[in-house]
Every structure is written in structure tokens, then in C-alpha cells.
Amino acid sequence: MSSAIKIALANSLMLALALGMAASILFEMRHVRVSRWRLLVPGILAAASDAILIAYPEVRDLFQLELWTVNTVALGLGVARGAFLPMFTDHNHGWVLVRRAIDGIVVAFAFTGFAAVQAGVEFRTGGDSRIEPFMEFVMTLSAGFLFGRSIASRIRASVIQHDDLDNPL
């Protein structure tokens, strides 16, 4: 398989995961109740999309200390935000209702925009671009925040007080 096809496949997968992540976080904007496991989906998809960007074509790029430092800081910020995310949870049905959570939507759509720009540049140039280090930085920052936020909000949804969500608010 030629390198152009490999680049196209890697960028297509990265962009598909980013679009899936953006679609999966829309429930926060629509103010609907969802299953608790759905809180994990945006963070996992963002982390996978970011890992594909960094790892292709050199897997050893995943071990860059600078990116891990950025990811750790963003992860900490995301955990802090997820720990204080305003939500209601119904333990009987396993539902969660997230309220006033515009931060996740903004970061998710910014991440998707960066992924689209990165994929477009690499489709056009056929390889590494000059903006790839910047894109790796901002996408790692965004993915770390979303991953930390997802983990902390999922844990918090399991331990906060019960609210009956079978009747609309």
C-alpha cells in the first residue's frame, strides 16, 4: 500500500473519531438524559483520535515527553471540571442529566475543527505539514481535558445523590 493511501486512511480514521466524539457530546446541549456510560464516550474517542494523529507514521512519537506533560496538565483540568460538573443522576435507571455544560461542547468542536484542518492539510500535501506540531499540541490539550472530564464525571455520576429522572424537569 502506498504511503499516500496510508496517510489518507490514518487521517480519515482520526477525523471520523473526532466527528463521532463531537456527535457524542451533543446530549449535553440538548439537555436530555442518557445512560451513565455515555459520559465516557467523548473522552475515549478524543484520546483515540489524538493518539492516531501522534502515532502515525512513527509510533515512537507517542513517547514525547512534551506531549505527555501537556496531556497531564489538561487531564488535571478536565478531572477538576468533571468533578464539579452540574448533573443529576438516577441510580435506579442508570441515567444522567448534565446541565450547563458548554465547556465540553466548545472543546469538542474545537478539537473536531483542528482535526479537520490537520486532515485537510495532510490530504493536500500528502505527508507531514509544518502545522502538525501545533495541531498535536492543541489536540493533545483538548483530548486530555475531555478524557479527564469524562472519567471524573462518570465516577461522580455513580456517587452523587439519587434524583428521579423518569419525569421531565
Side-chain angles (χ1 to χ4, degrees):
M1 199 177 330
S2 73
S3 65
I5 293 174
K6 290 178 184 177
I7 289 170
L9 287 175
N11 283 305
S12 297
L13 182 58
M14 175 195 65
L15 188 56
L17 289 171
L19 290 170
M21 179 268 309
S24 71
I25 205 165
L26 286 177
F27 71 88
E28 293 181 6
M29 187 171 65
R30 293 192 314 246
H31 193 67
V32 296
R33 61 184 184 227
V34 295
S35 298
R36 278 189 293 225
W37 66 267
R38 293 254 327 254
L39 292 171
L40 293 172
V41 174
I44 291 170
L45 292 178
S49 178
D50 187 45
I52 289 170
L53 170 67
I54 295 168
Y56 189 79
E58 296 289 332
V59 176
R60 66 182 170 172
D61 288 345
L62 283 173
F63 302 108
Q64 295 178 24
L65 182 59
E66 300 86 6
L67 289 177
W68 280 101
T69 304
V70 167
N71 193 19
T72 303
V73 170
L75 189 71
L77 293 173
V79 165
R81 177 58 181 143
F84 295 106
L85 197 64
M87 69 174 76
F88 300 105
T89 185
D90 188 327
H91 295 291
N92 294 334
H93 295 98
W95 293 334
V96 173
L97 180 67
V98 179
R99 301 187 60 159
R100 298 183 313 265
I102 194 72
D103 60 307
I105 295 165
V106 169
V107 172
F109 281 102
F111 181 91
T112 305
F114 291 131
V117 168
Q118 173 64 22
V121 167
E122 286 202 359
F123 284 141
R124 193 185 71 209
T125 62
D128 286 340
S129 63
R130 292 182 295 154
I131 66 167
E132 187 169 356
F134 173 74
M135 290 299 178
E136 286 178 355
F137 172 77
V138 294
M139 287 178 68
T140 299
L141 194 64
S142 303
F145 177 81
L146 289 170
F147 189 73
R149 183 179 181 272
S150 293
I151 297 295
S153 62
R154 173 58 181 92
I155 291 170
R156 184 167 177 261
S158 298
V159 297
I160 62 174
Q161 74 179 20
H162 170 80
D163 291 302
D164 287 327
L165 296 179
D166 46 354
N167 295 324
L169 294 176

